[in-house]
Amino acid sequence: MENPLVTIVVVSYNHSKYIKENLDSIKKQSYPNIELIIGDDASLDNSVEVFESWLQANQYSAITNFHKKNTGLATTLNECIGLANGKYIKLIAADDFFHFDYIKNCVALFETTNADLIYTKAYGVDENSKILNEDFFGSPEFKNNKELRALLYNGNFISGAAFIVRKSVYNKIGYYQRDVLLEDYDLVLKMLNSGLVIKYLPQSLLYYRRHDGNITKTKFDLLQAHTIATKIKYDIHFEFDSVINGNILKQLKQLNPNLGLIKKGYYKYKKRKLFYYLLINKPFLIKSFIKLRLI
């Protein structure tokens, strides 16, 4: 079987501690035809030096894109994707690493199906690479894109850490937007709206790093608001209004201060609830309505 070129893009921001393990896992891939691109977004640690040292010590060729000034993840990803020559592109953060058969098994499925994106299970590992579980993101079963889309509106389980795409996907639907916080979720929903095909490979083929420390409530609230905004953006036929309005009600009750982020999109959403929209516009009323048990 022909072995088409696969581009692996490694992106780093202050990941120097994990870079060697990541690059070692790329070098050990059982698949023979890999192009490596390395991007660093002006790390404050010695990530660039670690990259350069490993490449020299291993005599491994790579295209490098090292920023002197921090520009954000989307810009770094887009630049690296623009440099890619592979038929398939795999993006990976430098603190995660591969099972040795990740590329081989994914390419085999690509070459025998019409998949535009393939995602796998992922091991969850701690900071010392100890395996915590074998399916970190959870992987519900689905029969087709319609079922998959319904599942994704109830919660995202397709992480960019575990998926690989045809390069043609970016030509069809565009690159990552700088103002999108949940770039993986945005990409997947955009693909489904465009009729592109997503396949699941039920094997744990990647190691996803779970760092110590819980997510702060401030960041969690922000992510919840962005998640709702993404759902509204892609629910163009208003199939999931009950889910979206239910999400908004829950965040109103929890006094999420970031719901203003959905104001513009929710105003245009034909199945919005006017009462919820009023409260999003006048958040000082929310506590009173909670006390009166009106929400």
Side-chain angles (χ1 to χ4, degrees), residues 82-105:
L83 296 169
N85 298 297
K87 183 177 180 180
Y88 308 112
I89 299 179
K90 170 58 190 164
L91 308 177
I92 185 170
D95 55 340
D96 300 329
F97 59 102
F98 291 103
H99 182 282
F100 63 89
D101 275 337
Y102 178 92
I103 299 297
K104 184 181 83 171
N105 290 5

Side-chain angles (χ1 to χ4, degrees), residues 19-31:
I19 287 171
K20 182 180 183 301
E21 186 170 29
N22 174 284
L23 296 180
D24 284 345
S25 75
I26 294 172
K27 184 180 179 181
K28 294 175 183 176
Q29 284 297 295
S30 57
Y31 189 80

Side-chain angles (χ1 to χ4, degrees), residues 87-89 110 113-116 164-170:
K87 183 177 180 180
Y88 308 112
I89 299 179
F110 269 128
T113 69
N114 62 342
D116 295 294
I164 179 172
V165 301
R166 292 183 187 270
K167 185 180 180 182
S168 59
V169 165
Y170 297 108

Side-chain angles (χ1 to χ4, degrees), residues 24-130:
D24 284 345
S25 75
I26 294 172
K27 184 180 179 181
K28 294 175 183 176
Q29 284 297 295
S30 57
Y31 189 80
N33 194 15
I34 291 173
E35 171 187 63
L36 176 61
I37 298 177
I38 297 170
D40 183 86
D41 196 23
S43 288
L44 301 176
D45 63 11
N46 66 329
S47 290
V48 170
E49 289 81 0
V50 175
F51 278 128
E52 292 177 333
S53 176
W54 187 93
L55 292 172
Q56 182 176 6
N58 288 272
Q59 293 295 293
Y60 202 100
S61 64
I63 300 169
T64 58
N65 180 24
F66 297 148
H67 289 178
K68 297 295 185 182
K69 181 180 179 181
N70 185 268
T71 60
L73 178 61
T75 298
T76 305
L77 290 176
N78 290 340
E79 290 174 353
C80 291
I81 292 168
L83 296 169
N85 298 297
K87 183 177 180 180
Y88 308 112
I89 299 179
K90 170 58 190 164
L91 308 177
I92 185 170
D95 55 340
D96 300 329
F97 59 102
F98 291 103
H99 182 282
F100 63 89
D101 275 337
Y102 178 92
I103 299 297
K104 184 181 83 171
N105 290 5
C106 288
V107 170
L109 184 56
F110 269 128
E111 294 291 290
T112 55
T113 69
N114 62 342
D116 295 294
L117 178 151
I118 291 170
Y119 72 98
T120 74
K121 290 183 180 180
Y123 293 103
V125 298
D126 64 15
E127 292 196 5
N128 298 310
S129 302
K130 179 182 177 182

Side-chain angles (χ1 to χ4, degrees), residues 83-277:
L83 296 169
N85 298 297
K87 183 177 180 180
Y88 308 112
I89 299 179
K90 170 58 190 164
L91 308 177
I92 185 170
D95 55 340
D96 300 329
F97 59 102
F98 291 103
H99 182 282
F100 63 89
D101 275 337
Y102 178 92
I103 299 297
K104 184 181 83 171
N105 290 5
C106 288
V107 170
L109 184 56
F110 269 128
E111 294 291 290
T112 55
T113 69
N114 62 342
D116 295 294
L117 178 151
I118 291 170
Y119 72 98
T120 74
K121 290 183 180 180
Y123 293 103
V125 298
D126 64 15
E127 292 196 5
N128 298 310
S129 302
K130 179 182 177 182
I131 294 176
L132 303 172
N133 58 63
E134 294 189 357
D135 189 9
F136 182 81
F137 300 109
S139 307
E141 296 291 330
F142 62 93
K143 296 178 182 177
N144 50 49
N145 274 9
K146 183 177 180 180
E147 289 188 6
L148 173 60
R149 193 162 176 267
L151 288 167
L152 286 168
Y153 267 81
N154 286 291
N156 185 29
F157 49 87
I158 302 181
S159 169
F163 71 59
I164 179 172
V165 301
R166 292 183 187 270
K167 185 180 180 182
S168 59
V169 165
Y170 297 108
N171 298 327
K172 292 175 182 176
I173 66 172
Y175 288 16
Y176 295 103
Q177 299 177 26
R178 290 196 63 180
D179 60 345
V180 172
L181 182 61
L182 302 170
E183 62 278 342
D184 301 334
Y185 192 40
D186 187 89
L187 176 74
V188 168
L189 291 183
K190 187 187 296 186
M191 287 183 63
L192 291 173
N193 273 17
S194 301
L196 300 181
V197 178
I198 294 174
K199 298 284 188 182
Y200 170 50
L201 181 58
Q203 300 173 16
S204 294
L205 295 173
L206 190 122
Y207 299 84
Y208 177 79
R209 187 84 57 184
R210 175 76 180 271
H211 294 281
D212 289 338
N214 294 323
I215 187 172
T216 65
K217 185 178 187 304
T218 299
K219 186 173 182 181
F220 182 77
D221 286 344
L222 183 63
L223 290 171
Q224 291 299 305
H226 275 277
T227 299
I228 295 171
T230 304
K231 292 177 181 180
I232 293 171
K233 178 180 176 182
Y234 290 109
D235 188 25
I236 58 176
H237 298 298
F238 315 108
E239 302 168 78
F240 302 102
D241 57 295
S242 61
V243 174
I244 290 169
N245 286 314
N247 289 167
I248 291 174
L249 176 59
K250 181 178 180 180
Q251 295 307 308
L252 286 169
K253 289 181 176 180
Q254 294 179 0
L255 301 175
N256 188 328
N258 300 290
L259 284 180
L261 293 170
I262 75 167
K263 187 187 302 184
K264 184 177 180 181
Y266 195 50
Y267 175 74
K268 296 178 180 178
Y269 189 68
K270 291 184 178 179
K271 291 198 176 182
R272 69 184 182 278
K273 290 191 177 292
L274 292 177
F275 180 46
Y276 297 171
Y277 184 70

